[in-house]
Amino acid sequence: MSQHIAKPRTTAVILAGGTGQRVGLSIPKQLLKIAGKAVIEHTLTTFEKADSIDDIIVLMAPGYVPDVEKIVAKAGFEKVSRVIEGGATRNETTERAIAALGEGLADGEDRNVLFHDAVRPLLSRRVIDDCVAALERYQAVDVAIPSADTIIVTRTHGEDGEFITEIPDRSRLRRGQTPQAFKLSTIKRAYEVAAGDPNFQATDDCTVVLKYLPDVPIHVVAGDEYNMKVTQPVDVFIADKLFQLGSTAAPEHSGEAAYRELLAGKTLVVFGGSYGIGKDIGELAESYGATVYALGRSTTGTHVENPEEVDDALSKAYAETGRIDYVVNTAGVLRIGKLAETDNATIQEALSVNYLAPVQIARSSYKYLAETNGQLLLYTSSSYTRGRAEYSLYSSTKAAMVNLTQALSDEWAADGIRVNCVNPERTATPMRTKAFGQEPAGSLLSSEAVARTSLDVLLSELTGHVIDVRQQDPTASAGQASGFEQALAGVLDRQDT
């Protein structure tokens, strides 16, 4: 009779021992804020959410352990078991991690370990899962991508500078990334052998295995281009932009009963609820048992650009139901034309409705949503990534919605309020028809489809995300595609939308 073999625990070791010297900082670069959060918080979030990871250990630069402990406590990372001080070198830091991992292990017990650079915050869960899966067959695993650049080998000749001595075949060259994954017993043995070498030094852990355990094959898992290392000043800028553009797929809820259970007894206030997406969201939520206040200029006489009317609408909903769980703003105006030919009244209307109104709605909603740990949902446009001619007012205000979402999600996180932004591609709404006239059938999203996704976002735990809604999402079948891969697909789609 075969015995069941327990699956080994898998620990992620976040190597955060570096400093910020190359990016010109006085603090370690892993504490630098990108997209509203410290780099290491983004990294930890990915491992925290990965089902294949059981626990996490952080090796932090000397003197900064309390900073990471505060980040862990505030974010509520349940998988982070220890934050310990790293060593003076990468190798010494890894050795400390190995020692910590070995504590409490029974004789013959092994575990999987993934070593990852804290300053690679754009890692996808697909890469993590592939590494863990590879450890079922191999003792050592690296992550790498093909080199798009020609690599040259040079030699310096005195004052004459560098000269090429060799150009290796690019088809066999790979750029190494992290995580690097091992059986704990394997990496421990490699370092034990290396300890006998008086000239031992290595910049990564696979090098240690390759040199000191040459009989152990090192399997290569495909990485991805987004898994960049924040090392140079330009990396900070690029990473920040990738986070800004990163989109997220809305989680689906299973079955009609789930919607009814989650929405029963909840109060939803929709500004811009007279028609289009806002009207559809209200009707959908109401059909599942929510109390809905659908507000609009043409139905309830509510002008979103008037702060007093926004306050009154929210006060009324709260007075009648005793709670406000969700606030949605789909109100907007789309005026197309050259800026130099646009009159002051049109400019004022665009700014008041598309920008100032959401700001006022957010400010007025705060106290109600803080009571219920609720969510504010805003809307952007496919033009937010790049303004286009004759759309200057519309596209710039919609870009502002993304920044407002990301800023408020960070600002309100401690109060338990979630803030997200839906980015539908071209959608069949009265506002669009008024601006563009009738368009070919089937070329536009239905407002009902956007409303359904919006409801899924409201019922999720997401915050600070831009959620793309497209007719045919090229990454939908991939399942494991990262938000950054989705962002790239979205940017390409937006070139003609």
Side-chain angles (χ1 to χ4, degrees), residues 283-321:
E283 291 179 350
L284 195 57
E286 199 166 46
S287 72
Y288 292 123
T291 300
V292 176
Y293 292 82
L295 310 164
R297 180 176 304 189
S298 60
T299 51
T300 61
T302 306
H303 297 73
V304 292
E305 64 271 34
N306 187 322
E308 288 76 18
E309 293 185 21
V310 169
D311 281 339
D312 290 345
L314 291 167
S315 295
K316 181 175 184 291
Y318 184 78
E320 293 179 358
T321 66

Side-chain angles (χ1 to χ4, degrees), residues 235-252:
D235 300 331
V236 177
F237 174 81
I238 293 171
D240 196 65
K241 286 300 176 184
L242 284 172
F243 272 112
Q244 183 189 44
L245 295 176
S247 59
T248 303
E252 295 182 0

Side-chain angles (χ1 to χ4, degrees), residues 366-389:
Y366 169 80
K367 62 182 179 181
Y368 303 111
L369 296 177
E371 276 190 17
T372 58
N373 294 142
Q375 182 177 161
L376 171 67
L377 186 61
L378 303 174
Y379 287 76
T380 186
S381 154
S382 59
S383 64
Y384 85 88
T385 56
R386 188 177 189 278
R388 298 196 302 276

Side-chain angles (χ1 to χ4, degrees), residues 46 52 179 187 203 285 397 410 423 437 481-482 486 489:
T46 301
S52 56
I187 191 65
T203 57
T397 54
D410 190 41
N423 175 34
S482 72
Q486 293 178 37

Side-chain angles (χ1 to χ4, degrees), residues 45-350:
T45 298
T46 301
F47 283 97
E48 177 79 16
K49 292 182 177 179
D51 293 336
S52 56
I53 299 298
D54 295 306
D55 60 300
I56 303 166
I57 294 177
V58 181
L59 278 292
M60 187 57 189
Y64 291 94
V65 167
D67 296 82
V68 178
E69 289 176 336
K70 288 177 183 175
I71 289 171
V72 170
K74 182 179 178 182
F77 293 131
E78 296 180 353
K79 291 184 180 179
V80 178
S81 58
R82 298 177 68 180
V83 181
I84 57 182
E85 199 168 89
T89 65
R90 167 66 180 263
N91 300 141
E92 186 181 332
T93 297
T94 299
E95 288 173 329
R96 290 190 180 188
I98 292 171
L101 289 167
E103 295 173 4
L105 282 184
D107 290 341
E109 184 182 356
D110 208 350
R111 71 164 66 190
N112 299 331
V113 55
L114 276 64
F115 293 99
H116 184 68
D117 295 326
V119 289
R120 292 185 185 271
L122 304 176
L123 175 67
S124 71
R125 275 180 270 173
R126 190 273 302 169
V127 172
I128 295 173
D129 292 342
D130 285 356
C131 285
V132 176
L135 285 176
E136 295 178 8
R137 182 174 179 184
Y138 303 99
Q139 298 177 53
V141 178
D142 202 355
V143 172
I145 58 175
S147 175
D149 298 316
T150 297
I151 305 299
I152 62 175
V153 179
T154 67
R155 180 174 294 171
T156 301
H157 291 275
E159 295 180 357
D160 292 330
E162 290 184 298
F163 294 84
I164 294 176
T165 60
E166 184 184 353
I167 302 179
D169 179 7
R170 190 173 71 185
S171 67
R172 297 184 59 200
L173 296 177
R174 299 291 183 269
R175 290 158 50 201
Q177 300 180 331
T178 64
Q180 293 184 331
F182 309 92
K183 292 295 183 183
L184 177 59
S185 57
T186 300
I187 191 65
K188 181 181 179 182
R189 184 157 48 96
Y191 270 90
E192 287 171 348
V193 176
D197 181 356
N199 300 314
F200 167 59
Q201 59 178 8
T203 57
D204 71 287
D205 300 309
C206 280
T207 298
V208 181
V209 173
L210 183 67
K211 184 174 181 179
Y212 297 103
L213 298 179
D215 294 333
V216 174
I218 303 174
H219 180 68
V220 178
V221 161
D224 63 55
E225 290 287 348
Y226 294 99
N227 189 16
M228 62 180 288
K229 190 174 184 180
V230 179
T231 303
Q232 305 294 340
V234 69
D235 300 331
V236 177
F237 174 81
I238 293 171
D240 196 65
K241 286 300 176 184
L242 284 172
F243 272 112
Q244 183 189 44
L245 295 176
S247 59
T248 303
E252 295 182 0
H253 291 84
S254 53
E256 300 286 293
Y259 287 106
R260 290 192 180 90
E261 181 181 348
L262 291 167
L263 285 166
K266 301 295 176 66
T267 299
L268 168 66
V269 177
V270 184
F271 292 96
S274 297
Y275 55 81
I277 297 169
K279 181 174 184 289
D280 290 336
I281 291 171
E283 291 179 350
L284 195 57
E286 199 166 46
S287 72
Y288 292 123
T291 300
V292 176
Y293 292 82
L295 310 164
R297 180 176 304 189
S298 60
T299 51
T300 61
T302 306
H303 297 73
V304 292
E305 64 271 34
N306 187 322
E308 288 76 18
E309 293 185 21
V310 169
D311 281 339
D312 290 345
L314 291 167
S315 295
K316 181 175 184 291
Y318 184 78
E320 293 179 358
T321 66
R323 62 187 299 137
I324 295 178
D325 300 274
Y326 310 109
V327 176
V328 176
N329 178 51
T330 64
V333 292
L334 173 57
R335 303 286 185 255
I336 300 172
K338 296 177 180 179
L339 183 61
E341 299 171 3
T342 305
D343 59 48
N344 288 335
T346 301
I347 293 173
Q348 187 61 48
E349 178 195 40

Side-chain angles (χ1 to χ4, degrees), residues 380-437:
T380 186
S381 154
S382 59
S383 64
Y384 85 88
T385 56
R386 188 177 189 278
R388 298 196 302 276
E390 300 191 19
Y391 282 77
S392 59
L393 292 172
Y394 186 73
S395 59
S396 60
T397 54
K398 289 303 177 181
M401 289 305 97
V402 173
N403 281 273
L404 182 63
T405 295
Q406 292 166 336
L408 289 181
S409 69
D410 190 41
E411 189 175 319
W412 292 354
D415 302 304
I417 304 174
R418 289 159 289 129
V419 188
N420 290 296
C421 190
V422 169
N423 175 34
E425 70 173 357
R426 297 174 300 173
T427 306
T429 64
M431 182 180 76
R432 184 174 181 89
T433 301
K434 184 177 180 181
F436 296 100

